[in-house]
Structures are given as structure tokens and as C-alpha cells.
Amino acid sequence: CMIDEALKKNPHESELHILKANVFCEEDKFDEAITYLSQAPSSDTEIIKKKVEWIAKEKQLDDPPNIDLKEKMQMKDFLDWMRKKGAIFSKIKIRHYGKNYRGVHAKGKIFAGERVLTIPADLILTESKGFVGTSLGAKIKKSGVRIDYPYCTYIGCLFFESASKASQKFKPYLEIFPSDASAFPFCYTKDEWAQLETLSFKNHVEKERSDWLAEYQRIAKAVPEFASIKFEDYLTASVLLCSRNFYCHNAPEPRLVVPLADMFNHLMHKTDQTLWQYVSEERAFVVSAKQDIEIGEEIGVNYGAKASSRFLHYYGFIPDYNTCLLYTSPSPRDATLSRMPSSA
């Protein structure tokens, strides 16, 4: 490769040795990278030492000991499934921060304008895949019942009717999809709810929760077998799907739940890091870099300028240093109830 050719001419050039070590890191060969650098005839041993320390830290971060083996294996199966189905994401990796909390990081350096992720339309969950692919969804659609958030209800049917052919198609994704919505005020315990101080915020959440309940009851009345699904399960699925969808006006169906893309966290300090869009001519959802992203760096997408109350309400967390005050925000005490986002 070009690096090897350059090293033949400059065998003591530290930066070239670091570039070669980065190639090992991109292939998850951290031990090989450390061994290589430890034996490299570098002219700057301090730079090499710092790089070895950085690689050792990256290795530890990529394989935290507190993550359940089953969760790791399900994630591996999911990523293998995505690759086989045509998704392209060779420059990124998933890093686990805690149970059901993860983020996307750069596996190698990504340059401005470079694609980070390409997800073909066949892998994207949409409203129609829910009512065409499941008998429950088809019955709800046929009933004509009014639904305020149809993409949540119909995509939710893929979860509720797990034995359906459509659900089986998306099984690797459904298995790694979060099942815990306790970070969202909709799902707070009585004690947590009692601690919220901002009355207008509480009233707004209560009103929307009652709307979800009314919708659930309408569907159960129109399609009796839907009543076998508990309201709390319906609410959890709906809240999580609401927090994870992308709105793409040019897509055949504008509300999209995009596997893997939904794992990008909101990075308050990196609002111009990436650009996401649906590319009609390719029938694919694409995330591109708007600026250079260094190896190991977290990659995020911008959830938009929102008041803290909106973040807590719809995403289950409050970002640090949020300066947007377009709407009534929770009180400082309310903010302490915010947990790490379970929807990542």
C-alpha cells in the first residue's frame, strides 16, 4: 500500500507509522496496532507512546466489561444482517456506553463530503410495511379508525405481531430495538412524576398521554384483538418510535424509522457535523459528513433547535448547555430527572 511504500523511503517517520497503526484500528486489530507501534523505529518516541496509550483506551471503550454478552451478540448479528442487505457503513462502529445506551463513532478518519452511512429503502421501516406485512395492521387499516400517529401504530404492529413474515424480515433490528421508555415523562413512575415542578409542562405531557390512551381505546374498539396488547406496551412502542423517526418530505412515505441511523445521538456542540437525507434516485437514506471527523470521534445528527422541555418530552433527555428557550422549559429540579437517553 501507499503507506508501506512511503515507509520504505522514510522508515523513521512517526506520522507514517501512526497512519499504518490506524489501518489496523479500522479493522479492529488493536493489539496488532500496539505491537506494530511498539516495534516501529520512530524518530519521535513520545508521539508513538501517546498513540499506543490512545489505542489501548479505544480498545477498552469498544469492549466495555459491563455490557451483557447477549446484547453484544445481538448487535453483531444486526450489523452483519445490515451489510448482507446492502447497507454501507464501513467507516463507523457502534460503541456501548451502558445497557441500552450506545452511540456511533468513526472507525477511521472521515473527510468532509464523504458518506458515513447508506441504508437502502428495503431496510427502512415505514407505515405501509406495518399494515401490508401484518394481519393486525391490515385489520386496523381496513377498519378506517382515526389514528393520529399512523406510522407509530403500523410500525408498532411489526413488534406486536412478531411471528409475521414482515416482522421476521426485520428480526435482527427488532431484537436490538430498546424496550425501555422510562426516561420519557410519559412513562415516569408516580414518585418521579411528583417531583416535576413545572405545571405547564406536566399539563402538556398529561394531555398527550390521554390522547395516546384515547387512540388506543379507539383502535381496540374497532379491532377487538388489538385489546390483547397492553396500553403501556403500546405507549412504550409509540413513544420510542416517535423519538426515532426521520421526516423526509421527498420519500414515498415521509416518516421513516431507519435502522442504524436511529443510533446517532444528538450532539449539541456539533450541530454542523453531518447531513442526513433521503436520496430518491438511489432509494436510500444517506448520512454524509459536513466536516472532517477524526478516528474514534463520536458522530451525531442534529435533532434541531428545541427547548429543554421538548427534548425531555420527546427524546427522554435534556442536552447540556441548551440555550434554546422557544417554549416553556422544565425547572432546574425537573432537569435532574433527565436520564441518559434510552432511545440511542
Side-chain angles (χ1 to χ4, degrees), residues 64 71 108 135 161 170 189 206 219 224 244 256 319 329 333-334:
E71 186 177 343
S135 61
E161 198 173 300
F170 289 101
T189 65
E206 283 183 322
I219 298 172
R244 304 175 83 82
L256 310 176
S329 294
R333 182 180 173 188
D334 293 349

Side-chain angles (χ1 to χ4, degrees), residues 279-342:
V279 182
S280 300
E281 55 269 27
E282 297 183 33
R283 295 186 66 248
F285 182 91
V286 172
V287 178
S288 303
K290 294 176 67 178
Q291 56 188 233
D292 289 354
I293 301 172
E294 298 300 325
I295 182 171
E297 184 179 347
E298 184 176 8
I299 309 171
V301 296
N302 187 7
Y303 291 13
K306 297 176 177 65
S308 292
S309 58
R310 291 296 181 96
F311 275 106
L312 182 59
H313 190 170
Y314 296 111
Y315 299 103
F317 73 98
I318 295 177
D320 294 332
Y321 312 113
N322 187 18
T323 58
C324 181
L325 297 173
L326 297 178
Y327 305 93
T328 302
S329 294
S331 71
R333 182 180 173 188
D334 293 349
T336 64
L337 289 171
S338 172
R339 308 169 188 166
M340 301 304 279
S342 61

